[in-house]
Amino acid sequence: MSDREPVIRVRGLARSFGENRVLAGVDLEVGPAENVVVLGRSGSGKSVLIKIIVGLLAPDAGVVEVFGQDVHRLRPRELDAIRVRIGFSFQSSALYDSMNVRENLEFPLRMNRRGLTEGAVRDAVNEALDAVGLAGAIDQMPSELSGGQRKRVGIARTLILNPEIMLYDEPTAGLDPNTCGEINELILRVREKYHTSSIIITHDLTCAKVTGDRVAILLDGVLFRIGTFESVFADPDPRIRSFYDYNFVTKATS
Amino acid sequence: MPRSRSLLSPGVDRFLAAVGDGSEFVVRFFGSFWRPPWHVREVIRQCFEVGVRSLPLISLTGFITGIVFTKQSRPSLAAFGATSWLPSLITLALVRSLAPLVTALVCTGRVGSSIGAELGSMKVTEQIEAMEVSAINPFKYLVVTRTLATTLMVPVLTIYCCFVGLTGSFLNVAGNEAQSLQAFVKSGFAQISFLDLWSSVAKSFIFGFTIGIIACYQGFHASKGTEGVGRAANASVVLAMFAVFIEEVLIVQVIHWLRSV
Ligand SMILES: Nc1ncnc2c1ncn2[C@@H]1O[C@H](COP(=O)(O)OP(=O)(O)O)[C@@H](O)[C@H]1O
Ligand SMILES: [Mg+2]
């Protein structure tokens, strides 16, 4: 695979739930160390899209290639080998609430890299927590953390496996503007430090503008426009205008 | 897309679909529990949880069952002047039926509901998906470990319950008939056959498996929202109790048949 080859390639992706046609032919490519933002209203199928990309959901039609491999045709073991190279930051952070921060980070490491020394595990945990600026929270339980801290721990937990791809599901949803800004910066820092390619799912235009090299708008089950933030929002199409206005007028959360 | 026509009624269809899903879940357990990775440490931790959670309640209910059953049986036996049969009657009842049932019901309430709620809340907060994307098989890490723990621990707790129940019964008999421990044990176990003992242990393995797998299934299939978690916990208890009684009836038939051949 050459250097410029896309890391993620999605073609003709479709998925319905019963009568509800959520995705109707999504095409998307993400290049090396590129940040692509997918914008869409709540319920437009953004989470469904990235869950299909990591194989948590199966598509009805279409192909997802990650590192040149068709995710939905892999055997479980081969899929796992791809998954350890992908970091997934959940909308709800999805921290294991029976474990403290340290154990949350150690868990994927110990399960996937058997035979690591205690010292190596400790170093990896400290490094990942440092990367998200939360070294002090190491012994806290998830329930004691704020929303922004939970997001960071969730991101640290994926960084610990040195991912090559990051998928962020609504990284700034439900956070105050200051914390949103910090998370946006963190997303940029992660790319710098780990050279990750990322898909950032959001309905927050500030987040999209700051973090995205390219922006795509998910509308009626397809990616309606893809390009730089400026070029997409220069489009006079009323649906894009209404999305723009909706975002700044109502600031809904999903 | 044409609307899929239901075969009988939507309710029956949903029931059949759930039975199908449930069977698949059971098959998946047997297809995966013997394959590595085994998560031995997690199994041990879960065994400990099952034991710690239910031990106090089983001690209490087992003890009371022993005393009450002895007290209540005494008048009918006394009418025939047969109070000397008390130990053997109680032992038979406890070993064959009461201890496995009481233990299974207590574990359903204490352990089944907590597994259902725990996995249910992990499901709705995406923790199960988080495991999956970290290349950790949540079925093995969560379902197999917990189901193994209940399957192994319910028989142990049943034996313990039996012991506590007999202790209660003996205290009552010793107080009323001034019988010695030695005499109690001797007459108590005179009627107990090897078949009684092993069929009870085998039965409690089945009960333990039922409690664990049903709770895990309910947790894994919890619907979004906090009420989904509550429903998963509740359904774990109701369904497992129902299943335990059905199994009891079926197993009793099998044992009767075994006894007769
Ligand atoms: N597992 C599922 N079963 C049924 N419907 C689902 C499921 N997951 C998502 N949906 C439906 O798909 C649509 C898109 O959901 P989602 O991708 O979560 O939206 P969002 O863009 O807010 O992330 C919603 O209408 C939702 O109800
Ligand atoms: Mg979403």
Side-chain angles (χ1 to χ4, degrees):
Chain A
M1 197 163 66
S2 94
D3 254 15
R4 301 308 320 161
E5 193 100 347
V7 179
I8 301 175
R9 182 184 276 148
V10 174
R11 277 194 311 265
L13 207 61
R15 172 74 207 230
S16 309
F17 293 99
E19 311 266 291
N20 179 7
R21 194 162 164 76
V22 177
L23 300 180
V26 170
D27 298 296
L28 179 67
E29 290 189 354
V30 182
E34 187 186 22
N35 280 358
V36 173
V37 169
V38 175
L39 276 164
R41 291 188 181 185
S42 165
S44 59
K46 306 182 297 292
S47 299
V48 169
L49 172 62
I50 51 172
K51 284 183 179 173
I52 291 178
I53 291 177
V54 285
L56 281 174
L57 284 173
D60 297 335
V63 178
V64 177
E65 284 175 13
V66 177
F67 307 121
Q69 287 178 282
D70 184 342
V71 168
H72 295 276
R73 282 169 182 269
L74 295 177
R75 274 186 286 253
R77 192 167 306 203
E78 297 165 331
L79 180 58
D80 279 347
I82 293 227
R83 280 173 169 171
V84 295
R85 299 164 69 186
I86 304 179
F88 196 117
S89 161
F90 284 86
Q91 187 166 350
S92 60
S93 301
L95 301 184
Y96 305 122
D97 41 34
S98 60
M99 306 180 189
N100 68 18
V101 170
R102 178 203 305 278
E103 290 159 343
N104 260 282
L105 266 65
E106 283 177 352
F107 185 62
L109 194 62
R110 289 191 195 277
M111 290 291 159
N112 285 299
R113 310 250 199 281
R114 290 179 185 261
L116 274 188
T117 64
E118 288 300 311
V121 170
R122 200 173 335 110
D123 290 345
V125 169
N126 289 335
E127 189 190 335
L129 276 181
D130 268 340
V132 301
L134 264 185
I138 191 160
D139 290 317
Q140 279 178 289
M141 294 304 286
S143 55
E144 301 167 330
L145 302 175
S146 70
Q149 288 175 318
R150 293 170 65 91
K151 274 273 148 60
R152 286 159 184 267
V153 173
I155 293 171
R157 186 176 65 184
T158 71
L159 293 179
I160 201 157
L161 292 173
N162 286 314
E164 295 155 60
I165 293 177
M166 282 297 293
L167 304 174
Y168 299 93
D169 194 354
E170 310 257 7
T172 59
L175 302 178
D176 63 80
N178 272 338
T179 316
C180 283
E182 287 165 21
I183 297 284
N184 292 341
E185 266 170 43
L186 176 59
I187 292 173
L188 292 174
R189 257 205 327 276
V190 165
R191 187 223 338 233
E192 219 168 275
K193 180 157 185 221
Y194 294 83
H195 307 290
T196 49
S197 314
S198 313
I199 296 180
I200 300 141
I201 298 289
T202 189
H203 60 244
D204 169 0
L205 288 188
T206 317
C207 172
K209 190 169 181 176
V210 175
T211 59
D213 301 316
R214 284 192 299 149
V215 172
I217 296 194
L218 183 60
L219 206 72
D220 300 330
V222 297
L223 290 180
F224 182 67
R225 288 283 184 278
I226 306 183
T228 61
F229 186 87
E230 287 73 19
S231 74
V232 167
F233 282 96
D235 194 315
D237 189 286
R239 285 178 294 180
I240 290 187
R241 298 311 318 163
S242 91
F243 184 80
Y244 195 84
D245 297 338
Y246 153 90
N247 216 274
F248 282 114
V249 177
T250 55
K251 270 280 176 210
T253 52
S254 87
Chain B
M1 193 165 50
R3 184 182 291 276
S4 59
R5 200 106 27 91
S6 66
L7 288 173
L8 299 160
S9 75
V12 174
D13 279 6
R14 233 177 297 126
F15 173 75
L16 292 178
V19 169
D21 276 359
S23 325
E24 202 188 308
F25 206 71
V26 172
V27 168
R28 203 168 153 202
F29 174 87
F30 286 105
S32 65
F33 84 93
W34 48 275
R35 280 189 204 148
W38 288 298
H39 305 302
V40 177
R41 202 192 300 203
E42 180 67 7
V43 174
I44 293 170
R45 200 175 71 84
Q46 290 302 327
C47 284
F48 194 71
E49 285 279 312
V50 173
V52 167
R53 268 182 211 286
S54 24
L55 210 56
L57 207 52
I58 286 181
S59 308
L60 186 73
T61 44
F63 192 73
I64 290 176
T65 304
I67 290 186
V68 168
F69 200 69
T70 311
K71 267 175 113 72
Q72 303 281 40
S73 309
R74 182 172 288 109
S76 348
L77 288 182
F80 302 101
T83 46
S84 59
W85 286 4
L86 261 176
S88 88
L89 174 72
I90 306 297
T91 312
L92 214 57
L94 269 172
V95 169
R96 281 189 185 171
S97 206
L98 286 177
L101 266 184
V102 165
T103 310
L105 295 184
V106 168
C107 286
T108 303
R110 291 296 283 139
V111 180
S113 64
S114 92
I115 291 178
E118 184 194 14
L119 297 199
S121 94
M122 291 187 75
K123 162 85 179 181
V124 305
T125 56
E126 300 178 306
Q127 291 174 55
I128 291 180
E129 288 180 330
M131 270 187 201
E132 218 168 326
V133 295
S134 326
I136 299 157
N137 182 340
F139 191 87
K140 294 200 86 152
Y141 189 79
L142 299 172
V143 175
V144 170
T145 54
R146 281 160 180 73
T147 306
L148 279 181
T150 56
T151 309
L152 295 174
M153 288 308 285
V154 169
V156 173
L157 291 166
T158 298
I159 292 169
Y160 170 76
C161 178
C162 205
F163 175 78
V164 177
L166 287 175
T167 308
S169 174
F170 167 70
L171 290 179
N172 189 275
V173 169
N176 287 280
E177 280 86 19
Q179 204 169 39
S180 74
L181 179 61
Q182 212 173 1
F184 181 89
V185 170
K186 199 164 169 224
S187 65
F189 281 87
Q191 299 285 321
I192 298 288
S193 68
F194 184 66
L195 178 67
D196 288 320
L197 290 178
W198 88 243
S199 64
S200 270
V201 172
K203 182 159 76 176
S204 29
F205 271 111
I206 295 175
F207 289 167
F209 175 78
T210 305
I211 295 165
I213 202 86
I214 286 181
C216 288
Y217 177 85
Q218 292 299 332
F220 252 52
H221 292 81
S223 49
K224 286 269 175 210
T226 37
E227 81 274 9
V229 177
R231 225 175 302 134
N234 196 30
S236 303
V237 175
V238 175
L239 271 179
M241 283 198 181
F242 185 67
V244 161
F245 279 109
I246 300 277
E247 285 167 359
E248 168 77 21
V249 171
L250 295 178
I251 293 169
V252 165
Q253 306 297 326
V254 173
I255 294 170
H256 266 295
W257 179 78
L258 282 178
R259 229 188 282 282
S260 65
V261 294

